[in-house]
């Protein structure tokens, strides 16, 4: 393999750090080197395309039309018009759009996947994406509900159009470049990257809420502390921390299952998070696009080749997201049950005044919101499917939509935890402002204190998601 096909290993930790900092998952000095390799690869691809055209052999999306019209030829002399038309013809649909943070995650995913072997684009085009990412004012409108069978070409076209015509610029595209920037699983990957970061942020909220409830309920610490050889590293530290403050003795024969099984639920959430990070990292370290172009070892290009690819589908990510959603729904269920226990044991009534009904309505609100979450997020990636392009594109993962919905699910779970936290504080009464905004305010205040004290032990060691 020549220097042009050099891989750039990226870790899930580096991707999340880059997204937070607005940088890239590689050293700054590597960006120019990537541009040089892209130019070498693209020059080889253009030469390869001329050879294929001379032999009358097709290259999908370069020497052919897209989709089920791939039996219709397109000449190299028409590439400038054709590749731009490829983008504009796919940039259909509209609102609702991904929020700004998710759009930036998608853009980072596009930049990273284009830097790997497989796609063939010029350094000039790649740097258009790089410059857009480094511009804090750049906020592309990328439709949320426009992914279908062959990956995410519609939202990808909206991103490409925003990048290419940023600040009124006009860009000419070379052979295959329109297809290269549209194809691949990068929209799905970007949304999952945003989801992974948000899932990691869920842990301290959940941990602080659980600890407050366990202390208020004086939960039996024994189910958390019995020896288990699997409870090593961060998990062991977490379990000990959670029940610090729970007195030994004076407990019922056994606490409700929603308390006793927290140890198992934390393990499940942790394992789902690690699986998601691992699958995400595998996707970013794989060639993404259709077709894929690889440079052979011979410098004269005689060993170069291209291949059709299904890498625009990443079912492993869809399955990992489904697992995370199940864990989140289970967390939500357990939170609602603890809210019931907090109110039914009269903890919230200790300080209320005569004639004050207390917080008896809060568990009902929590149950209603849980039912809504179950209804909205009970479906998974493979509960339906069909085909487009006259049967050529006959499978997809619904992965982008599933990851988008998972982002909303996390917000719903956070609201349920806010209710639990509000009820767990016996100083509250109906005079404190009995609405969800008040509960969210209490949650935000607690998280500020936790960040200042930095006393919540981490559940994830980021290196666990790394392959090497």
């Amino acid at each position: 393999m020549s220097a042009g096909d050099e891989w750039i290993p990226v870790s899930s930790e580096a991707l999340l750090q880059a997204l937070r900092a607005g940088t890239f998952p590689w050293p700054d000095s590597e960006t120019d080197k990537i541009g040089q390799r892209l130019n070498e690869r693209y020059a080889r691809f253009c030469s390869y395309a001329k050879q294929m055209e001379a032999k009358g052999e097709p290259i999908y999306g370069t020497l052919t039309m897209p989709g089920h019209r791939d039996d219709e030829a397109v000449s190299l002399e028409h590439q400038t018009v054709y590749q731009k038309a490829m983008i504009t013809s796919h940039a259909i649909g509209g609102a609702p759009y991904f929020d700004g943070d998710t759009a930036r995650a998608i853009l980072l995913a596009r930049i990273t996947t284009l830097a790997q072997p497989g796609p063939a684009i010029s350094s000039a085009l790649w740097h258009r994406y790089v410059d857009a990412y480094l511009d804090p004012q750049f906020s592309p409108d990328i439709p949320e509900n426009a992914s279908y069978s062959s990956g995410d070409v519609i939202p990808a076209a909206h991103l490409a159009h925003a990048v290419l015509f940023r600040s009124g610029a006009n860009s000419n595209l070379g052979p295959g470049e329109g297809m290269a920037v549209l194809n691949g699983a990068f929209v799905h990957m970007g949304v999952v990257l945003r989801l992974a970061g948000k899932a990691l942020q869920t842990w301290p909220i959940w941990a602080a809420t659980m600890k407050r409830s366990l202390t208020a309920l004086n939960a039996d610490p024994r189910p958390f502390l019995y020896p288990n050889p699997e409870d090593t590293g961060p998990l062991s530290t977490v379990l000990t921390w959670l029940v610090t403050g729970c007195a030994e003795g004076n407990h019922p024969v056994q606490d409700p299952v929603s308390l006793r099984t927290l140890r198992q639920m934390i393990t499940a959430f942790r394992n789902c998070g690690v699986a998601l990070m691992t699958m995400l990292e595998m996707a970013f370290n794989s060639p993404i696009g259709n077709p894929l172009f690889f440079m052979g070892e011979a410098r004269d290009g005689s060993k170069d080749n291209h291949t059709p690819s299904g890498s625009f589908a990443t079912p492993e990510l869809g399955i990992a997201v489904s697992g995370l959603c199940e864990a989140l729904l289970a967390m939500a269920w357990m939170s609602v049950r603890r809210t019931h226990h907090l109110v039914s044991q009269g903890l919230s009534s200790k300080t209320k005044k005569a004639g004050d009904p207390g917080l008896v309505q809060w568990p009902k609100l929590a149950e209603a919101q849980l039912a809504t979450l179950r209804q909205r997020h009970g479906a998974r990636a493979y509960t339906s499917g069909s085909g487009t392009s006259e049967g050529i594109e006959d499978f997809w993962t619904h992965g982008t939509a599933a990851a988008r919905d998972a982002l909303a699910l996390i917000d719903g779970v956070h609201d349920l935890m806010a209710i639990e936290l509000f009820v767990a504080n016996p100083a509250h009464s109906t005079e404190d402002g009995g609405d969800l905004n008040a509960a969210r305010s209490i949650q935000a205040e607690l998280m500020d204190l936790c960040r200042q004290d930095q006393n919540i032990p981490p559940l994830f060691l980021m290196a666990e998601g790394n392959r090497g």
Side-chain angles (χ1 to χ4, degrees):
M1 187 175 291
S2 75
D5 269 346
E6 182 177 338
W7 291 89
I8 308 167
V10 292
S11 68
S12 51
E13 181 178 13
L15 286 162
L16 286 171
Q17 289 176 344
L19 185 59
R20 286 192 294 267
T23 56
F24 300 106
W26 51 71
D28 291 341
S29 59
E30 190 68 22
T31 301
D32 288 340
K33 296 178 182 178
I34 293 172
Q36 294 171 5
R37 292 196 294 267
L38 288 174
N39 272 342
E40 178 185 356
R41 186 192 307 160
Y42 189 61
R44 292 271 287 268
F45 173 77
C46 290
S47 176
Y48 175 79
K50 290 180 180 179
Q51 297 173 31
M52 294 292 285
E53 183 179 44
K55 293 187 290 186
E57 297 185 14
I59 301 176
Y60 177 72
T62 299
L63 299 178
T64 77
M65 295 290 285
H68 63 278
R69 297 178 60 187
D70 58 6
D71 57 349
E72 300 177 33
V74 179
S75 69
L76 287 178
E77 67 176 309
H78 294 129
Q79 288 296 304
T80 297
V81 174
Y82 173 50
Q83 295 300 324
K84 188 175 292 186
M86 179 93 68
I87 293 173
T88 56
S89 65
H90 283 84
I92 60 176
Y97 300 111
F98 285 109
D99 64 84
D101 289 337
T102 305
R104 286 189 61 77
I106 294 169
L107 179 54
L108 178 61
R110 177 70 291 186
I111 292 167
T112 305
T113 53
L114 286 174
Q116 301 284 26
I121 68 166
S122 63
S123 174
L125 179 55
W126 184 71
H127 272 95
R128 295 292 297 273
Y129 281 81
V130 168
D131 292 342
Y133 179 74
L134 294 176
D135 178 3
Q137 303 303 316
F138 181 69
S139 183
D141 290 333
I142 304 175
E144 285 187 359
N145 303 321
S147 297
Y148 70 110
S149 57
S150 59
D152 303 296
V153 291
I154 292 177
H158 282 263
L159 174 60
H161 193 274
V163 168
L164 294 177
F165 300 102
R166 186 169 66 101
S167 301
N170 192 4
S171 295
N172 290 325
L173 301 178
E177 287 192 304
M179 176 61 73
V181 298
L182 293 188
N183 218 291
F186 68 93
V187 175
H188 183 189
M189 292 160 64
V191 180
V192 174
L193 178 62
R194 170 78 175 114
L195 173 64
K198 198 167 183 177
L200 292 177
Q201 294 169 357
T202 295
W203 164 244
I205 295 174
W206 187 30
T209 303
M210 283 190 293
K211 185 174 177 63
R212 185 67 64 90
S213 292
L214 291 171
T215 302
L217 291 166
N218 193 27
D220 188 344
R222 291 175 297 175
F224 294 81
L225 301 178
Y226 63 78
N228 184 341
E230 295 298 318
D231 295 345
T232 59
L235 188 56
S236 177
T237 304
V238 163
L239 294 173
T240 302
W241 174 81
L242 276 175
V243 293
T244 301
C246 295
E248 296 187 9
N250 299 319
H251 297 290
V253 174
Q254 54 183 5
D255 283 335
V257 173
S258 60
L259 299 182
R260 277 184 286 136
T261 57
L262 275 176
R263 177 181 194 152
Q264 287 72 29
M265 191 62 244
I266 293 168
T267 301
F269 176 67
R270 179 177 179 274
N271 289 344
C272 287
V274 171
L276 182 70
M277 298 291 286
T278 300
M279 294 300 101
L280 185 64
E281 190 166 301
M282 290 177 64
F284 272 97
N285 285 278
S286 301
I288 297 294
N290 180 46
L292 297 171
F293 172 73
F294 296 104
M295 293 166 51
E297 295 179 357
R299 284 284 179 180
D300 62 2
S302 60
K303 301 295 183 181
D304 294 352
N305 67 91
H306 81 282
T307 177
S309 165
S311 60
F312 48 78
T314 47
E316 70 278 10
L317 279 183
I319 293 169
V321 168
S322 292
L324 179 66
C325 287
E326 294 291 357
L328 289 166
L329 287 170
M331 291 162 58
W333 183 10
M334 297 178 85
S335 176
V336 171
R337 296 315 307 161
R338 289 192 299 273
T339 297
H340 274 279
H341 296 312
L342 287 162
V343 173
S344 65
Q345 292 188 22
L347 297 174
S348 62
S349 65
K350 291 180 180 179
T351 60
K352 73 173 186 282
K353 303 172 184 178
D356 184 349
L359 303 174
V360 295
Q361 294 300 317
W362 284 91
K364 300 175 185 179
L365 174 63
E367 286 285 4
Q369 293 197 345
L370 176 61
T372 299
L373 291 181
R374 286 170 168 167
Q375 183 180 38
R376 290 179 178 173
H377 303 286
R380 294 292 173 266
Y382 297 101
T383 53
S384 67
S386 184
T388 63
S389 294
E390 298 186 2
I392 296 297
E393 298 166 355
D394 58 352
F395 171 80
W396 62 87
T397 67
H398 289 297
T400 300
R404 174 208 62 204
D405 291 346
L407 286 167
L409 173 58
I410 288 179
D411 290 334
V413 173
H414 287 181
D415 278 349
L416 290 176
M417 292 177 183
I419 292 173
E420 178 188 351
L421 187 62
F422 188 78
V423 172
N425 188 337
H428 293 310
S429 72
T430 52
E431 294 181 357
D432 291 324
D435 62 16
L436 189 53
N437 287 331
R440 289 169 177 160
S441 177
I442 296 296
Q443 185 182 69
E445 291 174 10
L446 178 63
M447 292 317 302
D448 285 341
L449 291 174
C450 291
R451 278 189 286 268
Q452 292 171 19
D453 295 342
Q454 296 183 336
N455 62 346
I456 298 180
L459 183 62
F460 299 94
L461 297 178
M462 295 298 293
E464 291 172 321
N466 299 344
R467 294 194 301 164

